Amino acid sequence: MEAVGIQKSQKQDTFEGVDFLDLDDLLTEEHKLIRSSIRDFVKREISPYIEDWAQKAHFPEEIVKKFGDVGAFGPQIPEEYGGGGLDYIAYGLIMQEIERGDSGMRSTASVQGSLVMYPIYKFGSEEQRQKYLPKLASGEMLGCFGLTEPDHGSNPSGMVTNFKDMGDHYLLNGAKMWISNSPKADIAVVWAKNEEGRIHGLIVERGMEGFSTPETHNKWSLRASCTGELVFDNVKVPKENLLPGKSGLGAPLMCLDSARFGIAWGAIGAAMDCYESARKYAMERIQFDKPIASFQLIQKKLAEMLTEITKAQLLAWKVGKMMNEGKAMTVHISMAKRNNVEMALTIAREARQIHGGMGITGEYPIMRHMMNLESVITYEGTHDIHLLILGNEITGIPAFK
């Protein structure tokens, strides 16, 4: 079902992948089958519409159910709760393929899987898992994750959102900002301090009195994704909606590790799309009586793009293997997220130059990816904070406290 006024692109998405070092050798047959099915899904359900969605700042609500049908929500969650029961490399490949379509579309999926389903699965009660996870996995419900506040971004421990024990319920007050999915979300996993100042997770449901989700407008980035706030004005939250499994800042940070891992893969998808577009354009664009691909500086750009994508693929795969073995630490994920997003942004900028003036139009995906990646390089740990996480690991001295 197409939204009213949305134009379907006549351009064919012919992407076949970028694999210079035959890294498919590192993947199982199941991995390749999953990647192929998501790639086909993106070509069918995202590529023909994404430029118009982005131009019109339209979030296609129908994509939520489609993501559920194709298994993009919580693929790493066990099957008994509606997830895919897949490993982390499969999860990464799914994020890579979706972000090749669009970073905003990947944000929708990774928030649902890593920031909503994961904490309910990991820290929730059995009742909470049974109540929410199957509906989130199928796309019947959309969720969001409330950590960042207007005055507390890189310093989440300073949050002021809080809840008080009122005997038979909790009373929640505060606000969260820059929340993907919030305007359309059915539930929010919200992190707030109790009266002792300890951080806990609470499941807040759409329709609870005093809970509102104002939408953020006028974005230049992630225009096909919906972003908003979460506002809590004396919201009565049932006690059974507290996540009992873990408290403290470590709980939301564990969720962010899972999401950042998905970003490390997703950014490769955006980079691949820019590289492929630039390669094809350079072969077809004639200047000085020959294709611009014949010029040394264009070949330099393309060679560097391919090299950086290949390095990022190896980094993502290795961290994925460590995730599967339970050996990946926050610092490993920080390195992968930071490196791969910067790589993708650099490739988007170089690809824009290869396209010349055409690179700023919606005829090509470059400018959309570039604007999206300006958000991706900041959200879920800014570029500089990830650098300092690594610096702390190297020196033992935290530079951001």
Side-chain angles (χ1 to χ4, degrees), residues 364-379:
Y364 297 92
I366 312 301
M367 204 72 181
R368 175 173 52 80
H369 281 307
M370 195 191 302
M371 291 193 300
N372 285 342
L373 289 164
E374 285 291 351
S375 289
V376 180
I377 207 165
T378 294
Y379 71 24

Side-chain angles (χ1 to χ4, degrees), residues 42 54-55 57 63 94 106 129 177 190 238 255 268 300 304 326 396:
V42 169
Q55 289 280 358
I63 203 74
I94 291 169
R106 197 267 310 138
R129 291 184 193 127
M177 198 173 189
V190 178
C255 306
I268 297 170
K300 175 184 184 288
E304 287 176 343

Side-chain angles (χ1 to χ4, degrees), residues 103-119:
S103 303
M105 292 290 99
R106 197 267 310 138
S107 297
T108 302
S110 65
V111 165
Q112 183 93 327
S114 286
L115 299 182
V116 182
M117 294 176 69
Y118 176 84

Side-chain angles (χ1 to χ4, degrees), residues 115-116 119-120 144-147 187-191 201-204 243:
L115 299 182
V116 182
I120 293 173
C144 65
F145 174 89
L147 181 64
I187 65 166
V189 173
V190 178
W191 302 93
L202 299 150
I203 300 170
V204 182
L243 296 176

